[in-house]
Structure formats: C-alpha cells, structure tokens
Amino acid sequence: MSATKSAINEEGISEPFAATEAPLELFSHGERFGSSFRHLSNFAGGTHVGVALEELAPGKETNPSHYHMLEEEHAFILEGSLTLKLGQRRHVMKAGDYVCFPAGQKVGHSLYNHTDAPCRYLIIGERNPSDVIVYPESGRVSVRLTGEGYRKATTMDYWEGIDAGPPS
C-alpha cells in the first residue's frame, strides 16, 4: 500500500487512485460479525456519498439487520457470492448482482457469506448528518441529529440483544 494519506493533492484536488491505496480497516464482533473494508470516498475527500470496497469472509455477517429512515444504501457484488437477509426473506447474490435499500424501507437488511470463499462488493450510501436507524433483531433505535448521536435517559448498547455467536 502507498504511504499516501489521501487522494487529495497539494493543491487540494482529489485525484484518481488505486483502491488498494485506501487504508484497509478490519471489523469484528464475536463469532458472527466481521468484515474488512476500504473507505474509498473518505480517501478521496468525499463528504456527501459514502463508497466502501468491502470483503466478507466465509461464515461472517456484516452487521446486525437494520434499516435507515433517512439514508439510502446500495450494494453491488463484484466477486463471489453471499446471502442478503432482507427481513424474513433470503436472497443469494453473486458477482454482477445489485440491490438498493431505499430510505424508509421498513425491512431490516444484512449480508451473510454462506460460502467457503470471500465475497467482495461495493457499498454506496448517503452521508446524511441526521438519520434514524432501526435494528429489528434487538429493538434498538439509533437517532443521529446533525451528525451527533442522540441520548436519552434510557439507552441501549449497540450490541444489546444481538447474538454474536456462530451465524445461523
């Protein structure tokens, strides 16, 4: 990987770059959740649209099932195969497949790699400073107002009510 910290040149202009130049980040929680990703839009200086190149290892799920009231998300499968959990339905997606999660579509979604090979895909979404995110599995509701998390007297931990054991 390049030692470059971003695709912004000395004149403040975002220039083209190889995706592998963006820092690789790892995420995991328990046995169930985990992925690796490169925030391409961050590296390029983007602030309105988020684009990440993600890889989901075999047997892992991306995150707890959720939906956004104000943000829209998109996924485009580049390589491999995975299962889209969309409410109670399951859809096998493969390279070349695409899905949109419109804002306000009240059905939770998450991605699960049911195969024995990694799956690579693009996640594209808005960066709305205000959003309400609902997690049907745990009953958690996350409120973000003008970029700040919202707290009341009673709050739930992000992982509260989520089984992070082996995926089902």
Side-chain angles (χ1 to χ4, degrees), residues 111-155:
L111 305 175
Y112 168 68
N113 187 341
H114 66 276
T115 75
D116 60 0
C119 182
R120 294 182 63 215
Y121 51 93
L122 285 176
I123 291 288
I124 303 161
E126 294 179 79
R127 290 189 166 167
N128 191 329
S130 300
D131 194 10
V132 175
I133 305 116
V134 178
Y135 299 85
E137 186 177 347
S138 66
R140 180 176 182 266
V141 176
S142 175
V143 178
R144 187 177 65 228
L145 300 171
T146 61
E148 298 295 324
Y150 181 77
R151 294 196 175 264
K152 287 191 92 62
T154 303
T155 61

Side-chain angles (χ1 to χ4, degrees), residues 21-162:
E21 290 184 63
L24 179 66
E25 299 180 49
L26 304 174
F27 158 77
S28 71
H29 183 80
E31 293 180 51
R32 180 175 168 191
F33 301 102
S35 64
S36 62
F37 50 92
R38 297 177 189 274
H39 282 288
L40 303 179
S41 53
N42 289 0
F43 192 77
T47 58
H48 294 277
V49 177
V51 180
L53 175 58
E54 298 193 9
E55 185 171 298
L56 190 59
K60 293 294 183 180
E61 191 168 349
T62 51
N63 48 263
S65 182
H66 67 286
Y67 61 86
H68 297 263
M69 295 305 296
L70 302 174
E71 285 189 349
E72 184 172 282
E73 290 181 299
H74 304 254
F76 181 70
I77 310 302
L78 299 170
E79 182 181 314
S81 179
L82 53 69
T83 297
L84 164 63
K85 294 181 175 183
L86 191 59
Q88 297 303 310
R89 296 181 179 189
R90 304 294 181 261
H91 301 273
V92 174
M93 297 180 67
K94 62 187 178 332
D97 289 348
Y98 165 86
V99 64
C100 175
F101 309 110
Q105 178 175 280
K106 296 179 182 178
V107 60
H109 63 270
S110 69
L111 305 175
Y112 168 68
N113 187 341
H114 66 276
T115 75
D116 60 0
C119 182
R120 294 182 63 215
Y121 51 93
L122 285 176
I123 291 288
I124 303 161
E126 294 179 79
R127 290 189 166 167
N128 191 329
S130 300
D131 194 10
V132 175
I133 305 116
V134 178
Y135 299 85
E137 186 177 347
S138 66
R140 180 176 182 266
V141 176
S142 175
V143 178
R144 187 177 65 228
L145 300 171
T146 61
E148 298 295 324
Y150 181 77
R151 294 196 175 264
K152 287 191 92 62
T154 303
T155 61
M156 287 179 73
D157 177 74
Y158 182 81
W159 296 105
E160 186 175 330
I162 298 294

